[in-house]
């Protein structure tokens, strides 16, 4: 019996609903001076949250932590964050192992850190999130997906 990998596919509609839900939660945490989006995954949620909270000042911190084959590697900071962190909101799509989140938290210790999704290993690093998934679940974001047919789950269960 082959165990199917745990996956959590997120549609554009679900991502938008979750970003809006996070915005509702963040309304009581602000007001915020600006948003720091963690690229690339935090860009889309940051845009939605910026609209919902009417925040016009948006910056990025650019960190590479995954390779093109979805393997975690060494962190590489391509663009640092602003130096002032008080009153800022950090937005990312996901906190996984916490490696990237810890690096950003060190850069912006006084900012409020919010992600759409959190895994147990990184959950304590962020201040706000919407959905927790197990550590062994791979989240497929809409920008990673294409429409295609898939076999029923039971077909892989008995292989």
């Amino acid at each position: 019996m082959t165990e199917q990998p745990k996956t959590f596919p997120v549609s554009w509609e679900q991502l938008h609903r979750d970003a809006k839900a996070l915005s509702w939660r963040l309304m009581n945490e602000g007001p915020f001076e600006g948003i720091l989006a963690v690229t690339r995954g935090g860009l889309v949620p940051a845009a939605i949250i910026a609209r919902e909270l009417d925040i016009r000042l948006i910056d990025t911190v650019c960190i590479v932590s995954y390779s093109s084959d979805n393997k975690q590697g060494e962190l590489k900071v391509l663009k640092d964050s602003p130096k002032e962190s008080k009153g800022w909101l950090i937005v990312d799509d996901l906190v996984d192992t916490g490696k990237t989140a810890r690096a950003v938290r060190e850069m912006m210790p006084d900012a409020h850190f919010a992600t759409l999704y959190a895994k147990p290993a990184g959950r304590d690093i962020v201040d706000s999130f919407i959905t927790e998934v197990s550590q062994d679940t791979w989240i497929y974001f809409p920008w990673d997906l294409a429409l295609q047919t898939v076999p029923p789950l039971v077909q892989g269960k008995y292989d």
Side-chain angles (χ1 to χ4, degrees), residues 2 4 7 14 23 37 48 73 76 88 99 147-149 153 156:
T2 304
Q4 294 292 319
T7 61
Q14 184 67 46
S23 299
I48 296 166
K76 182 175 180 185
W88 278 77
K99 199 162 140 182
L147 293 177
Q148 62 181 350
T149 59
L153 289 174

Side-chain angles (χ1 to χ4, degrees), residues 14-113:
Q14 184 67 46
L15 184 113
H16 190 265
R17 278 192 297 272
D18 290 343
K20 196 160 185 171
L22 186 56
S23 299
W24 276 104
R25 201 167 278 177
L26 292 169
M27 285 176 60
N28 295 325
E29 301 294 335
F32 297 104
E33 180 180 327
I35 290 178
L36 181 73
V38 181
T39 70
R40 292 177 307 206
L43 288 169
V44 174
I48 296 166
I49 292 166
R51 179 198 181 274
E52 297 301 333
L53 300 183
D54 195 27
I55 298 171
R56 302 294 177 141
L57 180 57
I58 302 170
D59 204 341
T60 59
V61 59
C62 306
I63 299 179
V64 177
S65 62
Y66 283 93
S67 62
S68 59
D69 59 355
N70 295 334
K71 301 266 191 293
Q72 273 201 321
E74 291 300 311
L75 288 183
K76 182 175 180 185
V77 178
L78 304 176
K79 178 184 174 289
D80 206 344
S81 67
K83 297 306 172 204
E84 180 56 47
S85 63
K86 190 163 180 60
W88 278 77
L89 172 62
I90 302 166
V91 175
D92 204 355
D93 56 352
L94 162 75
V95 60
D96 189 332
T97 63
K99 199 162 140 182
T100 300
R102 276 186 200 85
V104 176
R105 176 64 85 193
E106 285 178 21
M107 294 174 194
M108 305 270 298
D110 297 320
H112 187 95
F113 204 141

